[in-house]
Amino acid sequence: MRLSEPRLQPLTIETAEGESKAQLERAEARGGPVLNITRTLAHYPELSSAWGYFARHVLAGSSLPERERELIILRMGWNCRSGYEFGQHRRIGQQAGLSLEEVERVKQGPDHDAWTAHEAALLRAADELHTDAFLSDETWNELAEQYDTRQMMDVVFAAGQYNLVSMALNTLGVQLEPGTPGLELD
């Protein structure tokens, strides 16, 4: 984690007011724990709602296969050194079919010889979008061999979404939930 303490203390139902409180009550009513990202973004309920709509598309409505989407997200979290993002998507990636070994291999990037050509292209796409905000013709064409137009757009928007959220998580100092591993830098 870049910051050992949050810059904005996550709100609770007891400390929140107005629409922030209502958002946290809705999140709690869905069952399961209310994550620190949700409790932190509750400081700005209008932004949280607007961002959440897009984030739900990328995470649950994307045309990409879940496993492939998670490769992009994990690589972007690694590239941005977002301990929170990488830690949360370590679990989500495993639920999407990645082994723990593959999740850890994401850190080594697209040149590791265990990746298929398509998987390497996905990781390379995350790297290129992170460093250049642009996909090279080589990477574009390689992905386009298997992806339709919507999937190509979802590659770009998944990487962009997780670049954005990684910046926010890092800067706001959102802390991992207990028991969730972070980046674990090698």
Side-chain angles (χ1 to χ4, degrees), residues 88-138:
Q88 288 296 337
H89 282 272
R90 175 188 316 257
R91 176 183 48 80
I92 295 168
Q94 288 180 276
Q95 292 169 348
L98 291 169
S99 68
L100 185 54
E101 178 186 335
E102 289 171 315
V103 169
E104 290 301 312
R105 190 183 319 134
V106 164
K107 297 174 183 179
Q108 297 172 35
D111 296 329
H112 193 286
D113 61 3
W115 298 120
T116 67
H118 182 70
E119 292 166 338
L122 289 168
L123 296 171
R124 194 168 43 259
D127 288 356
E128 290 177 5
L129 290 166
H130 178 72
T131 58
D132 298 330
F134 179 77
L135 285 180
S136 68
D137 286 343
E138 177 185 351

Side-chain angles (χ1 to χ4, degrees), residues 36-95:
N36 283 338
I37 184 173
T38 303
R39 296 182 327 108
T40 301
L41 293 179
H43 282 278
Y44 194 169
E46 299 84 3
L47 174 65
S48 179
S49 291
W51 169 76
Y53 186 79
F54 178 63
R56 279 186 294 281
H57 167 77
V58 172
L59 194 57
S62 171
S63 63
L64 297 174
E66 289 180 357
R67 185 180 187 284
E68 295 172 19
R69 178 202 67 218
E70 288 303 313
L71 286 173
I72 295 166
I73 293 169
L74 283 162
R75 186 64 181 171
M76 191 58 72
W78 175 256
N79 286 339
C80 294
R81 297 300 188 259
S82 178
Y84 189 92
E85 196 59 54
F86 197 89
Q88 288 296 337
H89 282 272
R90 175 188 316 257
R91 176 183 48 80
I92 295 168
Q94 288 180 276
Q95 292 169 348

